[in-house]
Short mmCIF file of all heavy atoms in Angstrom, two decimals:
data_model
loop_
_atom_site.label_atom_id
_atom_site.label_comp_id
_atom_site.label_asym_id
_atom_site.label_seq_id
_atom_site.Cartn_x
_atom_site.Cartn_y
_atom_site.Cartn_z
N MET A 1 256.43 -38.89 116.38
CA MET A 1 255.50 -38.71 117.51
C MET A 1 255.04 -37.29 117.55
O MET A 1 255.80 -36.32 117.51
CB MET A 1 256.31 -39.03 118.80
CG MET A 1 255.41 -39.31 119.92
SD MET A 1 256.57 -39.65 121.31
CE MET A 1 255.63 -40.90 122.17
N GLY A 2 253.76 -37.18 117.57
CA GLY A 2 253.12 -35.83 117.58
C GLY A 2 253.13 -35.16 118.92
O GLY A 2 253.34 -35.88 119.96
N ILE A 3 252.79 -33.93 119.00
CA ILE A 3 252.69 -33.20 120.25
C ILE A 3 251.61 -33.81 121.15
O ILE A 3 251.82 -33.90 122.31
CB ILE A 3 252.41 -31.68 119.99
CG1 ILE A 3 253.69 -31.10 119.22
CG2 ILE A 3 252.13 -30.95 121.21
CD1 ILE A 3 253.52 -29.65 118.87
N LYS A 4 250.50 -34.20 120.50
CA LYS A 4 249.41 -34.78 121.27
C LYS A 4 249.91 -36.01 122.02
O LYS A 4 249.60 -36.24 123.20
CB LYS A 4 248.22 -35.08 120.38
CG LYS A 4 247.06 -35.70 121.11
CD LYS A 4 245.96 -36.05 120.14
CE LYS A 4 244.83 -36.72 120.88
NZ LYS A 4 243.83 -37.25 119.98
N ASP A 5 250.68 -36.86 121.28
CA ASP A 5 251.18 -38.07 121.85
C ASP A 5 252.13 -37.81 123.01
O ASP A 5 252.13 -38.44 124.04
CB ASP A 5 251.90 -38.96 120.83
CG ASP A 5 250.95 -39.48 119.79
OD1 ASP A 5 249.72 -39.69 120.08
OD2 ASP A 5 251.39 -39.74 118.61
N GLN A 6 253.01 -36.74 122.83
CA GLN A 6 253.93 -36.37 123.89
C GLN A 6 253.21 -35.90 125.16
O GLN A 6 253.62 -36.34 126.29
CB GLN A 6 254.92 -35.26 123.36
CG GLN A 6 255.86 -35.72 122.34
CD GLN A 6 256.69 -34.55 121.74
OE1 GLN A 6 256.39 -33.39 122.03
NE2 GLN A 6 257.72 -34.96 121.01
N PHE A 7 252.16 -35.15 124.92
CA PHE A 7 251.39 -34.69 126.10
C PHE A 7 250.63 -35.85 126.82
O PHE A 7 250.58 -35.94 127.99
CB PHE A 7 250.33 -33.67 125.70
CG PHE A 7 250.91 -32.23 125.57
CD1 PHE A 7 251.01 -31.63 124.35
CD2 PHE A 7 251.33 -31.56 126.75
CE1 PHE A 7 251.57 -30.38 124.26
CE2 PHE A 7 251.77 -30.27 126.60
CZ PHE A 7 251.96 -29.68 125.39
N GLU A 8 250.15 -36.78 125.99
CA GLU A 8 249.52 -37.97 126.66
C GLU A 8 250.48 -38.81 127.43
O GLU A 8 250.25 -39.28 128.49
CB GLU A 8 248.75 -38.79 125.57
CG GLU A 8 247.50 -38.12 125.00
CD GLU A 8 246.95 -38.87 123.82
OE1 GLU A 8 247.52 -39.83 123.34
OE2 GLU A 8 245.82 -38.45 123.39
N ASP A 9 251.64 -38.98 126.76
CA ASP A 9 252.70 -39.77 127.50
C ASP A 9 253.13 -39.11 128.79
O ASP A 9 253.31 -39.76 129.82
CB ASP A 9 253.93 -39.94 126.57
CG ASP A 9 253.66 -40.90 125.39
OD1 ASP A 9 252.61 -41.64 125.42
OD2 ASP A 9 254.47 -40.92 124.48
N LYS A 10 253.27 -37.81 128.77
CA LYS A 10 253.73 -37.09 129.91
C LYS A 10 252.65 -37.10 131.02
O LYS A 10 252.91 -37.27 132.20
CB LYS A 10 253.98 -35.59 129.54
CG LYS A 10 254.61 -34.81 130.70
CD LYS A 10 255.95 -35.33 130.95
CE LYS A 10 256.70 -34.47 132.01
NZ LYS A 10 258.01 -34.93 132.36
N ALA A 11 251.36 -37.05 130.57
CA ALA A 11 250.30 -37.15 131.53
C ALA A 11 250.21 -38.49 132.20
O ALA A 11 249.98 -38.63 133.39
CB ALA A 11 248.96 -36.82 130.79
N GLN A 12 250.46 -39.59 131.43
CA GLN A 12 250.49 -40.88 131.99
C GLN A 12 251.64 -41.05 132.95
O GLN A 12 251.48 -41.64 134.07
CB GLN A 12 250.59 -41.97 130.86
CG GLN A 12 249.29 -42.19 130.10
CD GLN A 12 249.46 -43.19 129.02
OE1 GLN A 12 250.61 -43.50 128.56
NE2 GLN A 12 248.36 -43.87 128.64
N GLU A 13 252.76 -40.55 132.50
CA GLU A 13 253.94 -40.58 133.39
C GLU A 13 253.69 -39.88 134.80
O GLU A 13 254.06 -40.36 135.84
CB GLU A 13 255.17 -39.97 132.70
CG GLU A 13 256.45 -39.96 133.57
CD GLU A 13 257.59 -39.24 132.81
OE1 GLU A 13 257.53 -39.09 131.58
OE2 GLU A 13 258.53 -38.91 133.49
N LEU A 14 253.17 -38.68 134.71
CA LEU A 14 252.86 -37.98 135.88
C LEU A 14 251.80 -38.69 136.77
O LEU A 14 251.94 -38.62 137.99
CB LEU A 14 252.41 -36.52 135.57
CG LEU A 14 253.49 -35.61 134.90
CD1 LEU A 14 252.86 -34.29 134.47
CD2 LEU A 14 254.61 -35.36 135.89
N GLY A 15 250.89 -39.27 136.12
CA GLY A 15 249.83 -39.96 136.82
C GLY A 15 250.44 -41.20 137.56
O GLY A 15 250.13 -41.43 138.73
N GLN A 16 251.37 -41.90 136.93
CA GLN A 16 252.03 -43.05 137.57
C GLN A 16 252.91 -42.59 138.71
O GLN A 16 252.90 -43.23 139.75
CB GLN A 16 252.82 -43.82 136.53
CG GLN A 16 252.02 -44.59 135.49
CD GLN A 16 252.81 -45.18 134.39
OE1 GLN A 16 254.02 -44.94 134.27
NE2 GLN A 16 252.22 -46.02 133.56
N ASN A 17 253.63 -41.49 138.50
CA ASN A 17 254.45 -40.95 139.60
C ASN A 17 253.61 -40.55 140.80
O ASN A 17 253.98 -40.81 141.95
CB ASN A 17 255.23 -39.75 139.12
CG ASN A 17 256.31 -40.12 138.11
OD1 ASN A 17 256.68 -41.27 137.96
ND2 ASN A 17 256.85 -39.13 137.41
N ALA A 18 252.39 -39.97 140.55
CA ALA A 18 251.59 -39.58 141.64
C ALA A 18 251.03 -40.80 142.40
O ALA A 18 250.92 -40.82 143.62
CB ALA A 18 250.40 -38.80 141.05
N LYS A 19 250.70 -41.86 141.65
CA LYS A 19 250.21 -43.08 142.27
C LYS A 19 251.29 -43.71 143.18
O LYS A 19 251.09 -44.19 144.30
CB LYS A 19 249.75 -44.13 141.24
CG LYS A 19 248.39 -43.76 140.64
CD LYS A 19 247.95 -44.86 139.61
CE LYS A 19 246.68 -44.42 139.00
NZ LYS A 19 246.26 -45.48 137.98
N GLN A 20 252.55 -43.76 142.67
CA GLN A 20 253.62 -44.26 143.41
C GLN A 20 253.92 -43.48 144.67
O GLN A 20 254.14 -43.99 145.74
CB GLN A 20 254.91 -44.36 142.54
CG GLN A 20 254.80 -45.46 141.47
CD GLN A 20 256.11 -45.38 140.58
OE1 GLN A 20 256.86 -44.44 140.56
NE2 GLN A 20 256.19 -46.42 139.75
N ALA A 21 253.84 -42.13 144.55
CA ALA A 21 254.06 -41.28 145.69
C ALA A 21 253.02 -41.49 146.78
O ALA A 21 253.26 -41.53 147.96
CB ALA A 21 254.14 -39.84 145.22
N ALA A 22 251.76 -41.59 146.32
CA ALA A 22 250.68 -41.80 147.23
C ALA A 22 250.82 -43.15 147.92
O ALA A 22 250.57 -43.33 149.10
CB ALA A 22 249.31 -41.71 146.51
N GLY A 23 251.21 -44.23 147.18
CA GLY A 23 251.43 -45.53 147.78
C GLY A 23 252.53 -45.50 148.83
O GLY A 23 252.39 -46.09 149.85
N GLY A 24 253.58 -44.73 148.54
CA GLY A 24 254.70 -44.65 149.51
C GLY A 24 254.22 -43.91 150.78
O GLY A 24 254.58 -44.26 151.91
N LYS A 25 253.45 -42.85 150.60
CA LYS A 25 252.92 -42.12 151.76
C LYS A 25 251.98 -42.97 152.57
O LYS A 25 251.96 -42.99 153.83
CB LYS A 25 252.20 -40.86 151.38
CG LYS A 25 253.05 -39.83 150.60
CD LYS A 25 254.17 -39.31 151.61
CE LYS A 25 254.93 -38.23 150.87
NZ LYS A 25 256.07 -37.79 151.66
N LYS A 26 251.20 -43.84 151.89
CA LYS A 26 250.27 -44.76 152.59
C LYS A 26 251.08 -45.71 153.42
O LYS A 26 250.78 -45.95 154.63
CB LYS A 26 249.44 -45.51 151.63
CG LYS A 26 248.45 -46.48 152.21
CD LYS A 26 247.63 -47.18 151.17
CE LYS A 26 246.75 -48.17 151.81
NZ LYS A 26 246.01 -48.97 150.77
N ASP A 27 252.15 -46.22 152.89
CA ASP A 27 253.03 -47.14 153.63
C ASP A 27 253.67 -46.52 154.86
O ASP A 27 253.70 -47.02 155.99
CB ASP A 27 254.12 -47.74 152.74
CG ASP A 27 253.61 -48.68 151.66
OD1 ASP A 27 252.45 -49.12 151.82
OD2 ASP A 27 254.31 -48.93 150.67
N GLU A 28 254.13 -45.26 154.65
CA GLU A 28 254.70 -44.47 155.78
C GLU A 28 253.70 -44.23 156.85
O GLU A 28 253.98 -44.38 158.09
CB GLU A 28 255.21 -43.18 155.33
CG GLU A 28 256.47 -43.29 154.43
CD GLU A 28 256.92 -41.97 153.89
OE1 GLU A 28 256.59 -40.86 154.53
OE2 GLU A 28 257.56 -41.89 152.85
N ALA A 29 252.45 -43.93 156.48
CA ALA A 29 251.42 -43.64 157.49
C ALA A 29 251.07 -44.95 158.28
O ALA A 29 250.82 -44.85 159.48
CB ALA A 29 250.14 -43.17 156.80
N GLN A 30 251.07 -46.08 157.59
CA GLN A 30 250.73 -47.36 158.24
C GLN A 30 251.89 -47.65 159.15
O GLN A 30 251.65 -48.17 160.33
CB GLN A 30 250.62 -48.48 157.20
CG GLN A 30 249.30 -48.38 156.43
CD GLN A 30 249.24 -49.45 155.32
OE1 GLN A 30 250.31 -49.97 154.90
NE2 GLN A 30 247.97 -49.74 154.94
N ASP A 31 253.11 -47.41 158.85
CA ASP A 31 254.24 -47.66 159.72
C ASP A 31 254.16 -46.80 160.99
O ASP A 31 254.37 -47.25 162.08
CB ASP A 31 255.59 -47.45 158.99
CG ASP A 31 255.85 -48.52 157.99
OD1 ASP A 31 255.27 -49.67 158.07
OD2 ASP A 31 256.80 -48.26 157.14
N ARG A 32 253.86 -45.50 160.77
CA ARG A 32 253.78 -44.63 161.90
C ARG A 32 252.57 -45.03 162.82
O ARG A 32 252.74 -45.07 164.05
CB ARG A 32 253.49 -43.19 161.44
CG ARG A 32 254.80 -42.46 160.95
CD ARG A 32 254.58 -40.97 160.81
NE ARG A 32 253.50 -40.63 159.89
CZ ARG A 32 253.62 -40.48 158.61
NH1 ARG A 32 254.71 -40.70 157.93
NH2 ARG A 32 252.50 -40.13 157.87
N ALA A 33 251.50 -45.48 162.25
CA ALA A 33 250.35 -45.95 163.06
C ALA A 33 250.74 -47.12 163.89
O ALA A 33 250.43 -47.28 165.07
CB ALA A 33 249.08 -46.19 162.18
N ARG A 34 251.47 -48.09 163.26
CA ARG A 34 251.85 -49.32 163.91
C ARG A 34 252.84 -48.99 165.05
O ARG A 34 252.72 -49.54 166.16
CB ARG A 34 252.52 -50.24 162.91
CG ARG A 34 252.70 -51.64 163.43
CD ARG A 34 253.19 -52.55 162.31
NE ARG A 34 252.33 -52.57 161.10
CZ ARG A 34 252.67 -52.12 159.93
NH1 ARG A 34 253.92 -51.69 159.68
NH2 ARG A 34 251.85 -52.17 158.92
N GLN A 35 253.75 -48.03 164.83
CA GLN A 35 254.71 -47.63 165.91
C GLN A 35 253.97 -46.98 167.08
O GLN A 35 254.32 -47.22 168.20
CB GLN A 35 255.76 -46.68 165.31
CG GLN A 35 256.77 -47.36 164.37
CD GLN A 35 257.69 -46.35 163.70
OE1 GLN A 35 257.54 -45.22 163.81
NE2 GLN A 35 258.62 -46.92 162.99
N ALA A 36 252.95 -46.16 166.77
CA ALA A 36 252.19 -45.49 167.80
C ALA A 36 251.45 -46.55 168.65
O ALA A 36 251.37 -46.37 169.86
CB ALA A 36 251.27 -44.46 167.18
N GLN A 37 250.88 -47.55 167.99
CA GLN A 37 250.18 -48.60 168.70
C GLN A 37 251.20 -49.33 169.60
O GLN A 37 250.90 -49.67 170.76
CB GLN A 37 249.53 -49.59 167.75
CG GLN A 37 248.27 -49.12 167.08
CD GLN A 37 247.73 -50.15 166.11
OE1 GLN A 37 248.52 -50.95 165.58
NE2 GLN A 37 246.44 -50.02 165.85
N ASP A 38 252.37 -49.61 169.10
CA ASP A 38 253.34 -50.35 169.91
C ASP A 38 253.75 -49.49 171.14
O ASP A 38 253.89 -50.01 172.23
CB ASP A 38 254.58 -50.66 169.09
CG ASP A 38 254.36 -51.72 167.99
OD1 ASP A 38 253.34 -52.42 168.12
OD2 ASP A 38 255.20 -51.81 167.10
N LYS A 39 253.92 -48.20 170.93
CA LYS A 39 254.30 -47.30 172.01
C LYS A 39 253.16 -47.29 173.09
O LYS A 39 253.45 -47.32 174.25
CB LYS A 39 254.53 -45.90 171.56
CG LYS A 39 255.87 -45.64 170.86
CD LYS A 39 256.10 -44.28 170.56
CE LYS A 39 257.40 -44.04 169.79
NZ LYS A 39 257.63 -42.61 169.39
N GLY A 40 251.92 -47.25 172.60
CA GLY A 40 250.83 -47.22 173.47
C GLY A 40 250.75 -48.52 174.33
O GLY A 40 250.47 -48.52 175.55
N ARG A 41 251.03 -49.65 173.68
CA ARG A 41 250.99 -50.94 174.39
C ARG A 41 252.15 -51.00 175.42
O ARG A 41 251.96 -51.46 176.56
CB ARG A 41 251.17 -52.10 173.42
CG ARG A 41 249.91 -52.50 172.76
CD ARG A 41 250.09 -53.84 171.95
NE ARG A 41 249.23 -53.76 170.80
CZ ARG A 41 249.67 -53.57 169.55
NH1 ARG A 41 250.87 -53.62 169.21
NH2 ARG A 41 248.78 -53.56 168.53
N ASP A 42 253.31 -50.46 175.03
CA ASP A 42 254.44 -50.51 176.02
C ASP A 42 254.12 -49.57 177.15
O ASP A 42 254.48 -49.96 178.33
CB ASP A 42 255.71 -49.98 175.27
CG ASP A 42 256.25 -51.03 174.19
OD1 ASP A 42 255.77 -52.18 174.23
OD2 ASP A 42 257.03 -50.62 173.39
N ALA A 43 253.54 -48.41 176.94
CA ALA A 43 253.21 -47.52 178.02
C ALA A 43 252.15 -48.19 178.94
O ALA A 43 252.34 -48.02 180.21
CB ALA A 43 252.65 -46.22 177.41
N THR A 44 251.22 -48.85 178.41
CA THR A 44 250.23 -49.48 179.24
C THR A 44 250.84 -50.57 180.08
O THR A 44 250.62 -50.75 181.27
CB THR A 44 249.14 -50.17 178.29
OG1 THR A 44 248.55 -49.15 177.56
CG2 THR A 44 248.10 -50.90 179.20
N ARG A 45 251.70 -51.41 179.46
CA ARG A 45 252.39 -52.45 180.23
C ARG A 45 253.27 -51.84 181.34
O ARG A 45 253.27 -52.38 182.45
CB ARG A 45 253.30 -53.31 179.26
CG ARG A 45 252.50 -54.23 178.43
CD ARG A 45 253.45 -55.18 177.63
NE ARG A 45 252.71 -55.76 176.57
CZ ARG A 45 253.02 -55.67 175.25
NH1 ARG A 45 254.01 -54.98 174.89
NH2 ARG A 45 252.25 -56.31 174.38
N SER A 46 253.97 -50.82 181.02
CA SER A 46 254.85 -50.14 182.01
C SER A 46 254.04 -49.64 183.15
O SER A 46 254.35 -49.81 184.34
CB SER A 46 255.67 -49.01 181.34
OG SER A 46 256.40 -48.39 182.24
N ALA A 47 252.90 -49.02 182.86
CA ALA A 47 251.99 -48.44 183.92
C ALA A 47 251.48 -49.58 184.76
O ALA A 47 251.40 -49.50 185.99
CB ALA A 47 250.92 -47.65 183.29
N GLN A 48 251.07 -50.68 184.14
CA GLN A 48 250.57 -51.89 184.89
C GLN A 48 251.65 -52.37 185.80
O GLN A 48 251.31 -52.73 186.99
CB GLN A 48 250.04 -52.89 183.94
CG GLN A 48 248.76 -52.58 183.25
CD GLN A 48 248.36 -53.56 182.14
OE1 GLN A 48 249.15 -54.27 181.68
NE2 GLN A 48 247.05 -53.54 181.87
N ARG A 49 252.94 -52.54 185.29
CA ARG A 49 253.98 -53.01 186.11
C ARG A 49 254.21 -52.09 187.33
O ARG A 49 254.44 -52.55 188.41
CB ARG A 49 255.18 -53.15 185.25
CG ARG A 49 255.57 -54.59 184.92
CD ARG A 49 256.85 -54.70 184.25
NE ARG A 49 256.58 -54.66 182.76
CZ ARG A 49 257.09 -53.75 181.91
NH1 ARG A 49 257.96 -52.81 182.35
NH2 ARG A 49 256.75 -53.79 180.65
N ASP A 50 254.23 -50.80 187.07
CA ASP A 50 254.51 -49.84 188.07
C ASP A 50 253.43 -49.92 189.17
O ASP A 50 253.69 -49.97 190.35
CB ASP A 50 254.55 -48.44 187.52
CG ASP A 50 255.78 -48.18 186.73
OD1 ASP A 50 256.75 -49.02 186.75
OD2 ASP A 50 255.78 -47.12 185.98
N ALA A 51 252.12 -50.03 188.78
CA ALA A 51 251.06 -50.12 189.67
C ALA A 51 251.17 -51.44 190.53
O ALA A 51 250.99 -51.44 191.74
CB ALA A 51 249.73 -50.15 188.97
N GLN A 52 251.56 -52.54 189.86
CA GLN A 52 251.71 -53.78 190.53
C GLN A 52 252.86 -53.73 191.53
O GLN A 52 252.73 -54.18 192.69
CB GLN A 52 251.90 -54.94 189.58
CG GLN A 52 251.91 -56.28 190.22
CD GLN A 52 250.56 -56.64 190.89
OE1 GLN A 52 249.55 -56.40 190.32
NE2 GLN A 52 250.64 -57.20 192.06
N ASP A 53 253.91 -53.07 191.17
CA ASP A 53 255.08 -52.95 192.01
C ASP A 53 254.75 -52.14 193.28
O ASP A 53 255.10 -52.44 194.42
CB ASP A 53 256.24 -52.26 191.30
CG ASP A 53 256.91 -53.21 190.28
OD1 ASP A 53 256.67 -54.43 190.36
OD2 ASP A 53 257.68 -52.69 189.45
N ARG A 54 253.99 -50.99 193.12
CA ARG A 54 253.58 -50.23 194.22
C ARG A 54 252.67 -50.99 195.13
O ARG A 54 252.78 -50.91 196.31
CB ARG A 54 252.84 -48.94 193.74
CG ARG A 54 253.79 -47.87 193.23
CD ARG A 54 253.12 -46.53 193.02
NE ARG A 54 251.97 -46.52 192.17
CZ ARG A 54 252.02 -46.46 190.83
NH1 ARG A 54 253.19 -46.30 190.25
NH2 ARG A 54 250.90 -46.45 190.08
N LEU A 55 251.72 -51.76 194.54
CA LEU A 55 250.83 -52.59 195.39
C LEU A 55 251.61 -53.63 196.18
O LEU A 55 251.38 -53.79 197.40
CB LEU A 55 249.79 -53.27 194.51
CG LEU A 55 248.77 -54.14 195.18
CD1 LEU A 55 247.84 -53.23 195.99
CD2 LEU A 55 247.98 -54.88 194.14
N ASP A 56 252.61 -54.23 195.51
CA ASP A 56 253.41 -55.25 196.22
C ASP A 56 254.19 -54.57 197.34
O ASP A 56 254.37 -55.23 198.39
CB ASP A 56 254.44 -55.93 195.22
CG ASP A 56 253.63 -56.81 194.26
OD1 ASP A 56 252.46 -57.15 194.53
OD2 ASP A 56 254.19 -57.20 193.20
N GLN A 57 254.72 -53.38 197.11
CA GLN A 57 255.51 -52.71 198.16
C GLN A 57 254.64 -52.32 199.33
O GLN A 57 255.07 -52.38 200.47
CB GLN A 57 256.18 -51.46 197.58
CG GLN A 57 257.37 -51.75 196.64
CD GLN A 57 257.92 -50.48 196.03
OE1 GLN A 57 257.38 -49.37 196.23
NE2 GLN A 57 258.97 -50.62 195.24
N ASP A 58 253.42 -51.92 199.09
CA ASP A 58 252.48 -51.56 200.12
C ASP A 58 252.28 -52.76 201.07
O ASP A 58 252.13 -52.63 202.23
CB ASP A 58 251.18 -51.09 199.57
CG ASP A 58 251.30 -49.71 198.99
OD1 ASP A 58 252.32 -48.98 199.18
OD2 ASP A 58 250.37 -49.24 198.21
N TYR A 59 252.15 -53.96 200.50
CA TYR A 59 251.90 -55.13 201.25
C TYR A 59 253.07 -55.80 201.82
O TYR A 59 253.02 -56.65 202.77
CB TYR A 59 251.03 -56.14 200.50
CG TYR A 59 249.63 -55.69 200.32
CD1 TYR A 59 249.14 -55.16 199.16
CD2 TYR A 59 248.71 -55.80 201.37
CE1 TYR A 59 247.78 -54.71 199.06
CE2 TYR A 59 247.41 -55.38 201.35
CZ TYR A 59 246.97 -54.83 200.07
OH TYR A 59 245.68 -54.39 199.98
N ASP A 60 254.32 -55.36 201.41
CA ASP A 60 255.50 -55.93 202.01
C ASP A 60 255.87 -55.27 203.32
O ASP A 60 256.59 -55.84 204.11
CB ASP A 60 256.66 -55.69 200.99
CG ASP A 60 256.65 -56.68 199.85
OD1 ASP A 60 255.89 -57.70 199.96
OD2 ASP A 60 257.33 -56.41 198.77
N VAL A 61 255.32 -54.18 203.62
CA VAL A 61 255.66 -53.43 204.88
C VAL A 61 255.21 -54.11 206.03
O VAL A 61 254.90 -54.94 206.54
CB VAL A 61 255.00 -52.02 204.81
CG1 VAL A 61 255.21 -51.31 206.12
CG2 VAL A 61 255.56 -51.23 203.63
#
């Protein structure tokens, strides 16, 4: 195996490692985005429940 072949093999290996790392980061970003959406939905539901509870208490008096 010549030096040129070794460099080409190393370049391919590094390229594959970079693609895998980028794919992993993409998955992590998608997970974080999904979690943020879930938190937002939960916060909205909680706020709606609180508002409805306050409204119900106002009319119970």
Side-chain angles (χ1 to χ4, degrees):
M1 195 179 220
I3 292 176
K4 180 182 176 188
D5 294 332
Q6 290 176 350
F7 278 111
E8 288 174 353
D9 290 345
K10 189 64 174 181
Q12 285 180 336
E13 180 184 339
L14 291 173
Q16 288 173 350
N17 289 346
K19 285 181 184 179
Q20 288 175 347
K25 296 295 181 184
K26 181 181 175 185
D27 291 342
E28 290 176 26
Q30 288 174 339
D31 288 343
R32 283 193 303 272
R34 196 173 303 114
Q35 289 173 355
Q37 285 178 335
D38 291 345
K39 283 183 182 180
R41 282 191 211 108
D42 290 345
T44 300
R45 286 187 195 120
S46 178
Q48 288 173 339
R49 253 186 268 119
D50 290 346
Q52 186 64 42
D53 288 346
R54 284 194 302 276
L55 182 67
D56 291 344
Q57 287 177 355
D58 288 346
Y59 284 103
D60 284 344
V61 173

